[in-house]
Amino acid sequence: MYNVSTPEKSATVSVGLFPNPSLLDIWVEAHNTLGKVESEHLKEEANWFVKTNPPSDVRVISERTFPTSLLINWAHPIEEVYVKLTYEIRFCPSGSQNWTYVPLVDTAKGIQCLRLQNLQPDTVYDTQVRCKSALEGGYWSNWSTNATERTPEDRPRSKPDLWKIITVDESTARQVWFICKDPVLSNGRIIRFDIKIQDHMDRVKKRSGELESIPVNRSKADPSPSQQKITILKQISLDDKKSVEVYVTAVNSVGKSPEASLVITEKANELPTVKDLKVQRNGGQLCLEWKPPARPVSEYVVEWVSGSPIDWVSGSQMDWQREQASTTNTVIKGSLEKFVSYTVSVYPLYSGVTGKPASKEAFLEEGVPLKGPAVKLKGKPGCNEAELVWNEIPQHSRRGFITNYTIFYTSGTKTHNITVPANTTSYTLKSLSRSTKYDTWVIASTIRGSKRGFNHSFTTLKYGTGEIEGIVVGVCLSFLFVVLLTMLLCINKKDVIEDNFWPRIPNPGESTIGNWSPDYPLKTETPKENCLSGISVLDVDVCDGKCWPEDDKASLPLKKDKYLSEEHSSGIGGSSCMSSPCQSVSDSDEGGDMADTTASTIQTLSSQPQQDIFSRSESTQPLLDSEENPDMLLQEGSRQSQHFSRQPSFTHTAGNEDSADPADFNQLEMEQQVLEPLDFCPLEEETTPTDGQSADGLPAALVSSYMPQLGGYRPQ
């Protein structure tokens, strides 16, 4: 009997020499202070209880002529004379945990090699072996260590996964990239792709397109087909009105794959798309659901790309998978990242012809944006408003769907905020204060949180756009209106302005003071030819006062005062300083004395007598000093009389009447006007008067009147 005690649940019993083929009885007893208890007894042959070591020296052999099989060899862990063993073999592609077990009936006998069948060519497999006693029951040994080997290459058995990327640039042509993944059953390392692009019209005419080889560099360390890289085959510019067919085959060291084809139709003739596409998050996956189009399809292509499809060329993540025609919902099987925006599209395929896609944007998981929008001012601020603009946050920084933007702006201690929709990238702030500094910023929000952007400061204007111009224009128009109004007033009130600023100076030439004599008309008549019969100027010595009688000397001062007073009498509104002494002679009752006291006489002989008319002066000229102060004129006349000297004598005979020149007459008239007042002296007349003379010895024609002053003052 062999026994061993242990507090554990397992124990090893050393028996020295293995008791083969003895019958063994094995049981377990449990002891405590109250007693002991025994388990059931196992009574089997000794080989039934044996657990051997795993098989040793396991090897896998690859044979080039058998691309779908591997040969496995191993060694027995114990000699068959002691224990007869049976084996179990399992294998799987390297890196996978999905083991495939070889049926026990194929390994029941004590063999040491086996050929694995129906393997994938050019695939690395891990193989393990274990063993146990051939008797019924017993214990399996542990699995042997992995034995790894790659199967030989074979010709590709599936088509390459051909796809395309189409972008529209500013021109009318479409930019098309043809891309593909290695065949799922590539059966080896792909060394090149053969591509042929054929115009649809050429195919109708049975013309063969040119075949082009695209070499690729693959290594045996490349990942499995499910993780293979995407290969860009070719880029072309395709007009909207053209359609092409593309054919691609993959080539490895053994042979070519079946041909894959794709048709790009005219833009106007694109086939219908799927309906009601929905993309939802569920259990860390993106689930898609759609309704099929009315036209039967051959399969669907589900595409997802981070950013836009063209961004994939610069390194963005992109992939696609194919679904059967009966599928209306699926799960994206590719590797997706959290907080990354994906554009998910579903393309229906009609026997290789692509239809229009249906697209949605989705996130596997959303978060807080990495940065906020940068706000700036568009143009210049106004006096009461300012337009703010900001750019959308880049997709790689959004980390979720933007739900809204919140605009904050502050002046001083007061802060205002405005919330706008997520599709808004500009906003005009209104009701701002003039000439005030504002700080503003924008916050972008997702369902997980918000992120604030940078601050931007601006100052509103004191005057708005056009206000200064309006003020200037208003002032100019007002000034112009005032000028025009002033001009109109000046035109309407021309006489008043002239009277106030440029008073009229009376024209002495228009004065009628010289026409008061009743012997002459109001209007001076122009002398006619031969109207002057003769002019005589008599030189009379009046300075000798000894010839005057005593009575006349006594009355002489009185007469002189009388005559001077009459000479300087004034009419209404006019001066009489230039009035003719004829009036005084004609009105005086002392006609005989006048002939005795006259110092000089101007006689005018006229062919036709003129009618005597009296007229008042219409001149508005102010009174002269001599008119306002006649006494001063009288005194001046007395002084002149004291210094009177003999005047020269001018005589114009009657014999020259016919040749009388009006210029001579005017000269004589001017000389008459400038004559100084005459003093009166007694005349010494010894001759006897004739019939043609008066009693005083003067001609009769000179007694009646003096030559009137036909002209007045000359214009200034």
Side-chain angles (χ1 to χ4, degrees), residues 449-470:
S450 303
K451 186 66 176 181
R452 172 176 173 171
F454 294 103
N455 285 20
H456 180 76
S457 299
F458 65 90
T459 302
T460 54
L461 301 178
K462 187 174 182 179
Y463 298 101
T465 303
E467 288 188 3
I468 296 178
E469 292 82 354

Side-chain angles (χ1 to χ4, degrees), residues 254-310:
V254 177
K256 289 185 177 181
S257 69
E259 189 177 62
S261 64
L262 188 66
V263 179
I264 308 297
T265 62
E266 299 176 3
K267 189 173 182 179
N269 296 331
E270 288 184 326
L271 299 178
T273 183
V274 299
K275 303 176 183 178
D276 300 335
L277 175 63
K278 297 179 182 179
V279 181
Q280 299 177 343
R281 294 189 297 269
N282 186 11
Q285 292 180 322
L286 288 180
C287 300
L288 284 70
E289 183 178 356
W290 66 87
K291 293 181 180 179
R295 183 173 177 176
V297 300
S298 57
E299 61 178 338
Y300 296 99
V301 173
V302 178
E303 175 191 87
W304 63 95
V305 57
S306 59
S308 63
I310 190 59

Side-chain angles (χ1 to χ4, degrees), residues 279-287 317 331-332 334-344 361-367 399-401 447-448:
V279 181
Q280 299 177 343
R281 294 189 297 269
N282 186 11
Q285 292 180 322
L286 288 180
C287 300
Q317 182 182 2
V331 175
I332 293 180
S335 177
L336 301 178
E337 298 179 5
K338 297 180 179 179
F339 315 126
V340 175
S341 173
Y342 290 96
T343 301
V344 181
E361 188 176 357
F363 285 87
L364 183 63
E365 185 176 339
E366 296 188 56
R399 306 187 70 185
F401 292 109
I447 60 174
R448 296 295 184 183

Side-chain angles (χ1 to χ4, degrees), residues 483-619:
V483 170
L484 293 177
L485 183 61
T486 303
M487 293 177 64
L488 292 175
L489 290 176
C490 291
I491 293 173
N492 293 334
K493 301 295 182 181
K494 178 180 179 181
D495 297 337
V496 176
I497 294 174
E498 289 181 353
D499 292 342
N500 290 334
F501 292 94
W502 300 281
R504 292 184 179 180
I505 299 176
N507 187 357
E510 298 178 358
S511 176
T512 61
I513 191 171
N515 300 329
W516 283 9
S517 174
D519 297 333
Y520 298 92
L522 179 61
K523 183 176 181 181
T524 304
E525 296 181 0
T526 304
K528 301 180 181 179
E529 292 184 1
N530 302 326
C531 67
L532 296 179
S533 59
I535 298 175
S536 298
V537 179
L538 301 180
D539 186 8
V540 181
D541 186 4
V542 294
C543 297
D544 190 2
K546 296 180 181 182
C547 64
W548 291 88
E550 296 297 332
D551 294 340
D552 293 337
K553 290 180 180 180
S555 63
L556 181 60
L558 295 175
K559 291 179 180 181
K560 291 170 64 177
D561 293 342
K562 178 179 178 182
Y563 299 149
L564 293 173
S565 175
E566 290 177 357
E567 285 178 0
H568 296 280
S569 64
S570 173
I572 298 174
S575 173
S576 64
C577 64
M578 299 302 293
S579 64
S580 173
C582 175
Q583 181 180 356
S584 300
V585 175
S586 64
D587 291 344
S588 174
D589 55 356
E590 299 177 358
D593 296 336
M594 281 291 295
D596 298 334
T597 61
T598 303
S600 177
T601 306
I602 301 174
Q603 181 178 6
T604 304
L605 298 180
S606 170
S607 62
Q608 292 182 1
Q610 298 179 353
Q611 187 177 359
D612 298 336
I613 297 175
F614 284 90
S615 176
R616 297 180 64 88
S617 174
E618 296 178 358
S619 173

Side-chain angles (χ1 to χ4, degrees), residues 60-72 91 114-123 125 127 149-154:
V60 179
I61 300 173
S62 175
E63 297 175 317
R64 187 174 182 82
T65 55
F66 300 98
T68 59
S69 68
L70 290 173
L71 181 62
I72 304 175
F91 60 93
L114 182 69
R115 182 177 293 276
L116 300 178
Q117 303 288 340
N118 300 324
L119 302 181
Q120 292 295 332
D122 195 41
T123 304
Y125 285 94
T127 306
E149 185 59 47
R150 179 185 293 271
T151 56
E153 291 188 3
D154 193 8

Side-chain angles (χ1 to χ4, degrees), residues 72-76 80 87 109-114:
I72 304 175
N73 295 327
W74 65 90
H76 294 296
E80 288 187 359
Y87 296 93
K109 299 177 180 180
I111 59 177
Q112 290 181 304
C113 64
L114 182 69

Side-chain angles (χ1 to χ4, degrees), residues 13 151 194 209 291 297 329 379 545 707:
V13 178
T151 56
D194 293 336
K291 293 181 180 179
V297 300
N329 58 79
M707 179 65 183

